[in-house]
Amino acid sequence: MMTDSIQSQPESTTGGTDTARPLNVAILGAGRIAQTMAKTLTMMADSPTYSAMVTPYAIASRSQDKADKFAATYHLPHAYGSYEAMLADPAVDLVYIATPHSLHAEQAIACMRAGKPVLVEKAFAANLEQARAVIDESDKTGLYCGEAIWTRYMPSRAVIDRIIDSGRIGAVTGINANLCYPMTHKARLTDPNLAGGALLDVGIYPLTFIDMVMGAQEIDHLATSMQPYPTGVDAQSTTTLYYADTTMATALSSMLCVSDRGGMVYGTEGYLVCHNVNNVSAVDIYNTDHARVDHIDMPEQLTGYEYEVAASVQAIRAGKRDTIEMPHADTLRMMALLDQIRDEWGLVFPFEHQD
């Protein structure tokens, strides 16, 4: 049975989306991150750069009252008090899934079975098994299915790549990244039934920062440790990744404290300091004497979510099932890494199969 009563509906006409008009985007879930996406879509619709891409179209919640209030706040023309009502609307061209991690897989599958392409908020799923099932459904339906981990799509990624590729800091030999916020007041993050914990919520960002710098190189082995929260989920952790080329990379995440959110890339001729791995605002380049030799600010943005939405629209219009920025292979590789880390900790969510 589908959680929140999402059921499969007859396939819509989305597969034949008119590329000459903006895509109607619906948001599934009405929490905080959904609010940011609604704001983003509204700003995109008002922007000369993005107005031809998207139309803020609908919100779907389990409560009609909540959906109505959300729609009024963000000026969405349609508000659905059930997810299945949204799925039955043939005018929906793309669904952004903004619910807890544990619900992503079944909701994404239900959307695609109803003919709706999906952009799934990170973490893409609770584990690799779920992620494979979602991507298998994308294979079967031929519909777009993307992961909304925004740092993969941001201009900062290309900036960092260009600096490293230029040789300005020499050969990369070490990386350090962290992201920590006090978040235990959010019930979903302490609930193991919702795949709570720091790893899937914030820990994925330092690991993604490392992965982007390393260019998807295979990890030789890893070492990790975790401090549990009283509910059993991970409160904070550190993971060191070891690569065959001798590079070492360490990721720290926590839902207990504040951190500087820094991303450091160490090379034989200098190093990079990336300010805020969750949304890089600037990059500083230092030489071997620790003198700052360059400072690069990132371009002004709407909210930062616009890049993942634009990439999704372009992929849908091109008839593709994923994007260059976040192909399905990268999603599966990162989910496998998250599973491996949790396996080292012995952390299993209640809804997962156990041997």
Side-chain angles (χ1 to χ4, degrees):
M1 179 179 294
M2 288 290 187
T3 299
D4 301 327
S5 299
I6 293 188
Q7 303 293 337
S8 299
Q9 300 290 335
E11 188 167 321
S12 77
T13 58
T14 304
T17 298
D18 181 359
T19 58
R21 65 166 178 81
L23 271 61
N24 292 328
V25 183
I27 301 171
L28 193 157
R32 181 187 58 82
I33 203 162
Q35 295 169 22
T36 303
M37 179 56 78
K39 178 182 176 182
T40 302
L41 294 173
T42 299
M43 295 174 74
M44 291 178 75
D46 292 336
S47 165
T49 302
Y50 301 109
S51 60
M53 289 189 169
V54 297
T55 296
Y57 182 77
I59 176 67
S61 172
R62 291 171 295 179
S63 161
Q64 187 65 57
D65 181 62
K66 188 173 184 178
D68 288 340
K69 290 178 180 177
F70 190 106
T73 299
Y74 296 102
H75 310 292
L76 302 177
H78 301 278
Y80 296 109
S82 70
Y83 298 155
E84 54 264 64
M86 180 271 293
L87 292 181
D89 184 345
V92 172
D93 297 314
L94 173 64
V95 178
Y96 169 70
I97 296 178
T99 52
H101 313 305
S102 59
L103 304 177
H104 289 177
E106 60 183 303
Q107 291 174 343
I109 290 170
C111 287
M112 286 186 283
R113 287 178 179 172
K116 316 296 186 189
V118 289
L119 177 60
V120 185
E121 186 52 51
K122 63 80 197 160
F124 185 76
N127 54 45
L128 181 59
E129 180 182 9
Q130 289 186 357
R132 282 177 173 153
V134 174
I135 291 173
D136 284 348
E137 194 63 34
S138 176
D139 290 339
K140 293 175 186 175
T141 61
L143 291 173
Y144 172 78
C145 176
E147 181 174 1
I149 180 160
W150 64 338
T151 54
R152 294 269 183 175
Y153 303 85
M154 288 178 167
S156 57
R157 179 179 183 180
V159 171
I160 294 167
D161 284 347
R162 284 196 296 269
I163 296 169
I164 294 172
D165 292 344
S166 73
R168 294 185 70 181
I169 65 169
V172 173
T173 62
I175 308 169
N176 195 304
N178 73 83
L179 188 63
C180 308
Y181 295 104
M183 298 185 298
T184 54
H185 60 283
K186 298 180 180 181
R188 71 174 181 85
L189 290 174
T190 61
D191 189 347
N193 292 296
L194 297 178
L199 180 66
L200 296 189
D201 202 76
V202 294
I204 192 170
Y205 286 112
L207 292 168
T208 292
F209 178 85
I210 293 167
D211 187 76
M212 289 190 293
V213 171
M214 292 304 295
Q217 291 187 43
E218 186 176 350
I219 298 166
D220 184 72
H221 64 284
L222 63 81
T224 185
S225 60
M226 178 268 284
Q227 178 67 40
Y229 194 71
T231 59
V233 301
D234 59 297
Q236 52 188 358
S237 68
T238 183
T239 298
T240 301
L241 308 177
Y242 299 82
Y243 294 86
D245 67 356
T246 72
T247 299
M248 290 176 58
T250 300
L252 169 70
S253 64
S254 175
M255 61 180 184
L256 302 180
C257 63
V258 178
S259 72
D260 60 16
R261 307 174 299 178
M264 309 285 288
V265 184
Y266 307 110
T268 54
E269 302 296 330
Y271 56 93
L272 302 182
V273 177
C274 303
H275 300 277
N276 186 6
V277 295
N278 189 34
N279 183 4
V280 176
S281 58
V283 178
D284 290 322
I285 305 175
Y286 291 82
N287 63 19
T288 53
D289 294 322
H290 307 287
R292 191 175 74 175
V293 296
D294 205 353
H295 172 87
I296 304 169
D297 288 313
M298 296 304 110
E300 186 176 350
Q301 58 191 26
L302 302 181
T303 66
Y305 284 23
E306 65 268 26
Y307 306 113
E308 63 192 39
V309 175
S312 298
V313 171
Q314 291 167 350
I316 292 169
R317 286 176 169 172
K320 297 180 179 179
R321 295 187 300 102
D322 57 7
T323 62
I324 295 172
E325 296 86 351
M326 192 58 178
H328 289 164
D330 285 8
T331 289
L332 292 174
R333 185 180 65 257
M334 293 306 296
M335 288 305 311
L337 175 59
L338 296 174
D339 277 8
Q340 183 180 358
I341 291 170
R342 285 199 298 119
D343 186 60
E344 291 286 330
W345 299 340
L347 175 56
V348 178
F349 298 125
F351 53 82
E352 293 179 305
H353 297 297
Q354 301 184 51
D355 294 330

